[in-house]
Amino acid sequence: GLAVNSNSNSRGAGAHHSNQQGGGGRNSSDLKNGRKELRGLGQVAEVDSGLAMDINPMKHVTGSSTDTWTGGEESLFRVLYKVFPGNYCAIAQMMVSKLCNQVYEKAALEREYLDTDLQKEYTPPKKKKKKQQHRMWSNHCKKIQLKKDNGPEPVHNYFPCDHPGQPCDDSCPCLKATNFCEKFCLCPSDCTNRFPGCRCKAQCTTKQCPCFLAVRECDPDLCTLCGADQYDVSKISCRNHMVQRGLGKKLFMAPSDVAGWGIFIKDSAFKNEFISEYCGEIISQDEADRRGKVYDKYMCSFLFNLNNEYVVDATRKGNKIRFANHSINPNCTAKVLMVNGDHRIGIFAKRYIQPGEELFFDYRYGPTEQLRFVGIEREMEFL
C-alpha cells in the first residue's frame, strides 16, 4: 500500500514538474487542438480538453481495468456528462478511475436516460401550447355540463365525419347526432368538437373525470396520465377501462327462486364495480320490432336497446349475464358506455354484493309487464 502511494505521489510531482518546464501554460497549437465543440450545444458551449488534463493532477493514470461501477462513480459520471456531453476522454480524465472505452460503454448503456435528462434541461417550455390546451379542456368540460343540464337526450350511433376542407360546424354529422368527434374522424386534430380525453391521475370514477362525466371509458390513445394506455393492469390507477379489457367477475348459472334460471356471482363486488358486459347480436330497431313480436309469444325476450338505431339481442348469441332476472330493488345497474367509438352495455354493482348472491337489474318494463313481474317478486318476498 505504501509503495502505491509513493508511486502515485511521484507521478503527481512529475506532472507538476513538467508544467513548470512548459512555462505554466500551453502554446497556441495545443490550445487549438485541445478545443472541441460539443454536439448539440452550439458554438458557445466549447470545452477545452487540454484544460481538463491540466486540472487532473494524475493525468498519466489510465484508470482501472475493472468494469464494475460504484454508486459514487455513476453519480459522478452523470454529473460530468452534463458538462462534457459526448467527450468521453475528458470524462475519463476527470474521473481518473475509468478508461475512455469504459466511459463510452457506460454512456451507451444509459443513452436513453442521458438524452432525456439533457432534453429536459435545455428544451424551453412551450407556454402557448399549454394555454391553448387548457382553453380546449375548459370548453370541453362546459359542453359536457350543458348536455347534462339539458336533460337526457336520445343517444345516436357514432359515425366518423368526413368533410375535407370544412370545419366541424352545424353541418357536421357528429354535431347533428350530439356526439363528439373521435380519433377516427377525418377532421383536423385541433377540432373544437374532438374529444381530447382526460388528464386525471386517480381512478377516474367521479364526475371530476371528463370521461366518466360523458358516460364513456378512458381511451388508451388519449388518456395517458391515468394509465389507461398501460398494458400491465397492475400499473394502471384508472378504473374506467374495465369493459374494453373484459375485466369482469366470475359468474355461475343456476335455477333462480324468482323465475327460471338465474345468475350468481362467485366473488364479492363493491359498489360501482364492473361485473360483466351484456353481449349479443347487434340488430336494427326494425328487426328488433319484428323479433320482439315472436319473443312475446314465448314469454321470453333478451332484447336490450343500445341506442336509437341499434338493439342488442342475446337470444341466440350472448353470455351468462343475460340470465340475470328483473327486480324493483336490484343489486346491479346497466349502463350504455361509449368505448373507443362504439356503444357497449356494462353491468355494474349498485351496492355491495356478497359472494354467491343472485344478480338482478331493472329491465325498465312498461306498465303492464311491470305489474306482472313485480307481483311475482313481492310474492316471493312474502314467502
Side-chain angles (χ1 to χ4, degrees):
L2 295 176
V4 174
N5 291 333
S6 62
N7 291 336
S8 62
N9 292 333
S10 63
R11 288 176 182 175
H16 181 70
H17 180 68
S18 63
N19 286 338
Q20 289 181 351
Q21 291 180 354
R26 300 180 306 281
N27 54 24
S28 59
S29 61
D30 294 338
L31 181 64
K32 184 176 180 181
N33 295 330
R35 289 193 176 276
K36 182 177 181 181
E37 180 182 348
L38 295 182
R39 292 174 290 179
L41 298 181
Q43 297 289 339
V44 178
E46 294 182 351
V47 175
D48 193 346
S49 60
L51 179 61
M53 295 180 63
D54 291 341
I55 293 175
N56 183 9
M58 303 175 66
K59 63 181 180 180
H60 295 294
V61 178
T62 57
S64 62
S65 60
T66 59
D67 292 334
T68 57
W69 287 71
T70 62
E73 290 175 342
E74 290 181 352
S75 301
L76 180 60
F77 163 73
R78 290 165 184 167
V79 173
L80 292 176
Y81 192 86
K82 297 179 181 179
V83 184
F84 307 105
N87 196 344
Y88 309 110
C89 295
I91 298 175
Q93 289 287 334
M94 297 296 293
M95 293 188 64
V96 179
S97 61
K98 294 297 178 183
L99 299 172
C100 294
N101 60 345
Q102 293 175 332
V103 175
Y104 173 78
E105 293 175 356
K106 184 66 175 177
L109 292 175
E110 299 189 3
R111 176 68 61 187
E112 183 177 359
Y113 168 79
L114 297 173
D115 292 343
T116 53
D117 196 13
L118 289 175
Q119 187 177 3
K120 290 180 181 179
E121 184 175 355
Y122 294 104
T123 303
K126 299 179 181 179
K127 296 183 179 180
K128 293 184 179 179
K129 186 176 180 181
K130 186 175 181 180
K131 289 183 179 179
Q132 183 179 3
Q133 186 178 8
H134 177 72
R135 190 181 300 111
M136 183 173 61
W137 271 101
S138 178
N139 295 333
H140 163 66
C141 294
K142 288 179 181 179
K143 286 182 180 180
I144 295 179
Q145 194 63 35
L146 286 175
K147 286 186 177 182
K148 291 290 182 180
D149 296 339
N150 293 333
E153 295 184 357
V155 180
H156 296 278
N157 193 45
Y158 163 73
F159 292 99
C161 63
D162 183 12
H163 41 78
Q166 295 182 358
C168 291
D169 50 13
D170 296 336
S171 61
C172 177
C174 296
L175 287 175
K176 288 183 179 180
T178 65
N179 290 329
F180 288 103
C181 291
E182 303 289 340
K183 59 185 179 181
F184 309 103
C185 294
L186 299 181
C187 57
S189 58
D190 57 349
C191 175
T192 57
N193 191 50
R194 184 181 287 265
F195 192 88
C198 72
R199 52 180 179 179
C200 306
K201 295 182 179 180
Q203 296 184 356
C204 300
T205 55
T206 62
K207 292 184 179 180
Q208 299 295 330
C209 176
C211 298
F212 184 85
L213 183 63
V215 196
R216 57 185 296 148
E217 284 200 339
C218 292
D219 195 320
D221 295 329
L222 302 177
C223 309
T224 56
L225 293 180
C226 64
D229 59 334
Q230 296 291 332
Y231 178 78
D232 191 359
V233 182
S234 61
K235 298 180 181 179
I236 302 176
S237 62
C238 176
R239 304 293 297 175
N240 192 27
H241 62 91
M242 300 299 180
V243 177
Q244 57 186 306
R245 294 176 182 260
L247 301 177
K249 296 290 185 178
K250 183 70 174 178
L251 304 178
F252 295 104
M253 187 177 65
S256 173
D257 295 333
V258 177
W261 293 93
I263 202 72
F264 299 83
I265 190 170
K266 178 183 178 181
D267 301 323
S268 61
F270 294 96
K271 184 179 179 180
N272 297 328
E273 191 173 1
F274 175 68
I275 295 179
S276 178
E277 180 184 3
Y278 194 92
C279 301
E281 295 181 81
I282 299 179
I283 59 177
S284 63
Q285 289 285 352
D286 296 336
E287 178 65 18
D289 293 339
R290 188 189 68 82
R291 293 187 183 185
K293 295 177 182 179
V294 178
Y295 297 154
D296 290 341
K297 295 182 179 180
Y298 292 96
M299 300 295 295
C300 181
S301 177
F302 297 100
L303 296 175
F304 201 115
N305 285 328
L306 188 63
N307 48 46
N308 279 20
E309 288 80 18
Y310 295 101
V311 178
V312 174
D313 185 9
T315 304
R316 297 180 178 86
K317 297 180 181 179
N319 51 357
K320 294 180 181 179
I321 198 62
R322 65 176 178 168
F323 293 103
N325 289 308
H326 168 76
S327 175
I328 57 175
N329 297 316
N331 53 10
C332 298
T333 180
K335 188 186 297 184
V336 179
L337 302 171
M338 174 69 76
V339 182
N340 296 329
D342 296 325
H343 286 118
R344 298 170 69 171
I345 305 170
I347 307 297
F348 297 86
K350 195 174 182 179
R351 58 170 175 80
Y352 176 76
I353 303 177
Q354 297 179 357
E357 189 175 349
E358 185 177 358
L359 303 181
F360 300 93
F361 67 92
D362 189 4
Y363 284 6
R364 298 179 183 178
Y365 278 126
T368 57
E369 293 85 356
Q370 186 174 4
L371 289 174
R372 181 177 56 190
F373 282 92
V374 169
I376 296 175
E377 184 179 1
R378 286 178 177 174
E379 183 180 356
M380 294 304 302
E381 290 179 355
F382 178 74
L383 294 175

